[in-house]
Amino acid sequence: MALHLQMLGTGGAFAKAYYNNNALLSTDDFTLLIDCGITAPMAMHQLGITPEKIDALLVTHIHGDHVGGLEEFAFRMKYGAGRKPVLYVAETLAGPLWDHTLKGGLGQDGITCLEDVFDVRLLTEGVPCKIAEGLKVELIRTPHIPGKTSFSLYINEEIFYSADMIFQPKLLQQLVDERDCRKILHEVQLTGPGEVHTTLSELLSLPQKLRAMISLMHYGDEMESFNGQTGEMDFLRQHKLYTL
């Protein structure tokens, strides 16, 4: 069964040209939206994709460029489609997602908790979950902001999809050597110090075998000026359809 990837956006939190780094992961008959940031509704509109066409959402962590579009998505499904969208979220993130992010906007018209507006499916860190036929996802905790929980994804036990994260070379090597990883979709900070993100220079320090597996995402609007400077690594492009 084919697995397809289409990035709604490939930009970092402040990118304007490339939108937020959110992705559509699709099998032949199922579409999972990975993160739903501030720009996700506009990107979906440009692609002619309505919320009703999304079978489920998955949240990696609680920052606006990853969850800022959830309020609009939920309201459109409630008042337009008349049903709750399926939301996969780590059991440790479900409470904070409602209490600290969504409650202020969604808390109305009898909506008092996350479950009132979403069909919540809790995920446990390190336990693979079959999302659909041909699609399995495992949460891997990766460091981003101190004190703020964030999870990257291991898809179908062969594809690593990073959330925002600081450089973790041992994890990447372990996934390849011990868990048969064959593709890495990795966030990158092209300029400045990587205090809470992985920098291009750090990724370029990886062994050639690892670099050849990496496609770059979550970059800044200066991306085009870095063409030809990323070694074996290529840039994922906004809205382009990839077969994984």
Side-chain angles (χ1 to χ4, degrees):
M1 181 177 291
L3 186 65
H4 301 288
L5 175 76
Q6 187 173 32
M7 303 300 296
L8 291 183
T10 51
F14 309 128
K16 299 298 182 287
Y18 302 110
Y19 291 176
N20 300 149
N21 197 86
N22 307 159
L24 297 173
L25 192 64
S26 304
T27 64
D28 295 341
D29 55 7
F30 189 93
T31 298
L32 175 70
L33 173 57
I34 300 174
D35 289 328
C36 185
I38 296 165
T39 62
M42 177 59 75
M44 290 171 59
H45 172 73
Q46 291 178 351
L47 290 170
I49 299 171
T50 62
E52 292 87 348
K53 294 181 180 179
I54 304 299
D55 294 293
L57 304 92
L58 186 151
V59 169
T60 62
H61 66 289
I62 305 173
H63 272 154
D65 55 322
H66 296 266
V67 298
L70 284 177
E71 179 181 317
E72 177 178 336
F73 195 104
F75 276 142
R76 289 186 63 184
M77 287 294 289
K78 177 178 175 62
Y79 297 112
R83 61 181 174 88
K84 299 177 183 179
V86 174
L87 174 66
Y88 287 92
V89 60
E91 53 194 1
T92 53
L93 289 180
L97 176 61
W98 175 255
D99 292 334
H100 304 314
T101 301
L102 297 178
K103 182 178 181 180
L106 283 173
Q108 62 183 53
D109 194 22
I111 300 173
T112 62
C113 61
L114 197 64
E115 289 78 8
D116 283 340
V117 72
F118 290 103
D119 179 357
V120 179
R121 313 284 177 89
L122 296 179
L123 297 174
T124 301
E125 174 186 352
V127 179
C129 176
K130 183 178 179 180
I131 303 291
E133 192 66 36
L135 179 56
K136 184 187 296 183
V137 175
E138 175 187 340
L139 298 182
I140 298 177
R141 188 185 295 253
T142 45
H144 177 32
I145 302 290
K148 200 172 189 71
T149 303
S150 182
F151 294 98
S152 293
L153 309 176
Y154 200 43
I155 301 165
N156 286 356
E157 300 178 314
E158 61 177 359
I159 300 165
F160 180 73
Y161 180 103
S162 87
D164 301 1
M165 58 181 275
I166 60 175
F167 191 39
Q168 298 292 293
K170 291 183 179 179
L171 171 62
L172 299 178
Q173 192 68 61
Q174 182 183 39
L175 287 170
V176 171
D177 292 344
E178 301 177 16
R179 301 198 59 187
D180 300 319
C181 181
R182 65 174 181 83
K183 184 64 180 174
I184 298 170
L185 311 174
H186 207 294
E187 67 118 59
V188 63
Q189 181 175 312
L190 297 172
T191 59
E195 296 178 2
V196 295
H197 292 284
T198 300
T199 66
L200 176 59
S201 60
E202 287 173 324
L203 290 173
L204 285 169
S205 73
L206 291 169
Q208 186 277 335
K209 178 183 177 182
L210 283 183
R211 296 197 305 267
M213 297 180 180
I214 294 176
S215 292
L216 302 171
M217 59 186 188
H218 203 284
Y219 42 73
D221 285 342
E222 72 275 24
M223 181 270 287
E224 295 294 348
S225 65
F226 281 82
N227 281 326
Q229 301 181 45
T230 60
E232 298 83 354
M233 301 177 290
D234 61 333
F235 286 111
L236 288 176
R237 296 285 180 163
Q238 180 182 11
H239 297 180
K240 182 177 178 180
L241 188 64
Y242 297 88
T243 299
L244 298 179

